[in-house]
Amino acid sequence: MTLELKNVNYIYNYKTVFQKHVLKDINFKINDNEVIFIIGKSGSGKTTLLYLMDFLLKPTFGEIVVDGEDPFTNPHKFRKKIGFAFQFPEKQFFSETVEDEIMFSIKNFEIKNPKERLEEIKDLMNLDDELLKKSPFQLSGGQQRKVAIASAIAHDPELLILDEPTVSLDYKSEKSLIEFLKLWASKKDKSLIIVTHDLEKFSDFKGKIFEIVDGEGYFQ
Ligand SMILES: Nc1ncnc2c1ncn2[C@@H]1O[C@H](COP(=O)(O)OP(=O)(O)OP(=O)(O)O)[C@@H](O)[C@H]1O
């Protein structure tokens, strides 16, 4: 898939005294088989940019185009192509068990053979049956991150978007996450966007870097 932002601006509380112009004339494009890292200081607008890319926010001005179409005409259809794991996994959870959390994505996007898909995800992300019965809210930071990514990829999206995926991971979990992401990035027709403050951890990846400075974005 191709996701493009054309002169995108985002203003929180637009036309109120609290308005804040966070993103200014952003031009961004990701194609199949690309990896793009998004960097920028704290508060520079990285998370806001990701929310726009998953159509959770609509640009105040400017345009988002997915495969030549306007995703806001049918966000569900276009969101099926995208998997998004939030910066704080507990903000994305809402189910009573890890299994329900992952099954939600599978059912929400009407994936065929949901039970088989669940088994595939368990193998891929190394999740055991005991963990699947637990509440996602009671897991360690590393386990939560793993479950958040498992639900983000459960419906087999084309583009995976991760907000600070290595935060709160121990060395072993970080290593296995990076291996998983390398595998993802090597697959045909998959692409990856990662917001990180720690580019060094991804030094093995061939990817572009998009930096946000004072609300403006540049490919380095
Ligand atoms: N709902 C909101 N209403 C008003 N302002 C907001 C809202 N959400 C974020 N902001 C402001 O927009 C700016 C960009 O926030 P954002 O979370 O996108 O930045 P970030 O680069 O992801 O930051 P961090 O690295 O700290 O996560 C910040 O100044 C933030 O305070």
Side-chain angles (χ1 to χ4, degrees):
M1 70 175 281
T2 300
L3 170 82
E4 195 171 358
L5 276 70
K6 296 181 180 174
N7 294 316
V8 164
N9 286 261
Y10 193 78
I11 306 175
Y12 282 106
N13 306 309
Y14 182 49
K15 286 186 173 168
T16 75
V17 286
F18 302 108
Q19 82 172 25
K20 185 162 187 183
H21 199 158
V22 175
L23 296 172
K24 298 169 190 163
D25 288 325
I26 298 285
N27 287 294
F28 176 98
K29 188 175 183 183
I30 184 160
N31 298 303
D32 284 340
N33 304 108
E34 274 193 316
V35 178
I36 298 181
F37 295 97
I38 298 176
I39 60 169
K41 284 188 191 150
S42 182
S44 60
K46 302 180 297 297
T47 298
T48 306
L49 184 62
L50 296 192
Y51 283 1
L52 288 158
M53 290 174 176
D54 199 32
F55 330 124
L56 296 167
L57 294 176
K58 210 171 173 178
T60 316
F61 304 109
E63 211 186 337
I64 299 183
V65 182
V66 178
D67 293 335
E69 291 185 71
D70 172 5
F72 291 98
T73 55
N74 185 351
H76 185 77
K77 173 182 152 195
F78 290 96
R79 212 170 270 142
K80 191 172 177 174
K81 297 172 184 246
I82 297 176
F84 183 20
F86 285 54
Q87 181 174 9
F88 302 104
E90 68 279 8
K91 281 199 182 171
Q92 109 180 43
F93 298 147
F94 54 89
S95 303
E96 280 181 23
T97 65
V98 169
E99 179 168 336
D100 289 350
E101 194 66 48
I102 297 171
M103 278 307 264
F104 177 82
S105 297
I106 296 175
K107 289 184 178 160
N108 187 31
F109 292 108
E110 292 160 2
I111 301 303
K112 284 183 206 134
N113 307 320
K115 291 247 159 67
E116 280 172 32
R117 182 62 187 157
L118 178 67
E119 289 305 315
E120 278 172 20
I121 293 295
K122 274 168 66 183
D123 289 346
L124 197 62
M125 297 301 291
N126 217 351
L127 303 169
D128 59 36
D129 287 328
E130 199 186 323
L131 188 111
L132 253 76
K133 291 190 180 68
K134 287 188 179 166
S135 158
F137 297 97
Q138 287 168 348
L139 307 177
S140 70
Q143 287 171 324
Q144 284 193 334
R145 181 75 59 196
K146 216 159 130 177
V147 171
I149 295 173
S151 0
I153 60 164
H155 60 289
D156 197 23
E158 294 168 39
L159 167 64
L160 178 59
I161 303 180
L162 304 176
D163 199 351
E164 298 282 11
T166 54
V167 168
S168 77
L169 293 190
D170 57 41
Y171 177 73
K172 206 171 139 227
S173 317
E174 185 183 292
K175 220 171 148 225
S176 73
L177 172 70
I178 289 181
E179 284 311 311
F180 164 75
L181 293 177
K182 270 192 208 156
L183 187 69
W184 177 276
S186 71
K187 283 191 193 163
K188 203 172 151 274
D189 303 334
K190 300 282 183 200
S191 46
L192 182 60
I193 294 176
I194 298 178
V195 161
T196 183
H197 65 273
D198 216 346
L199 265 183
E200 277 165 33
K201 290 191 173 149
F202 300 95
S203 54
D204 287 351
F205 285 70
K206 277 197 204 100
K208 291 197 229 168
I209 297 169
F210 188 78
E211 183 172 9
I212 306 179
V213 183
D214 297 331
E216 292 179 15
Y218 311 88
F219 277 105
Q220 286 187 350

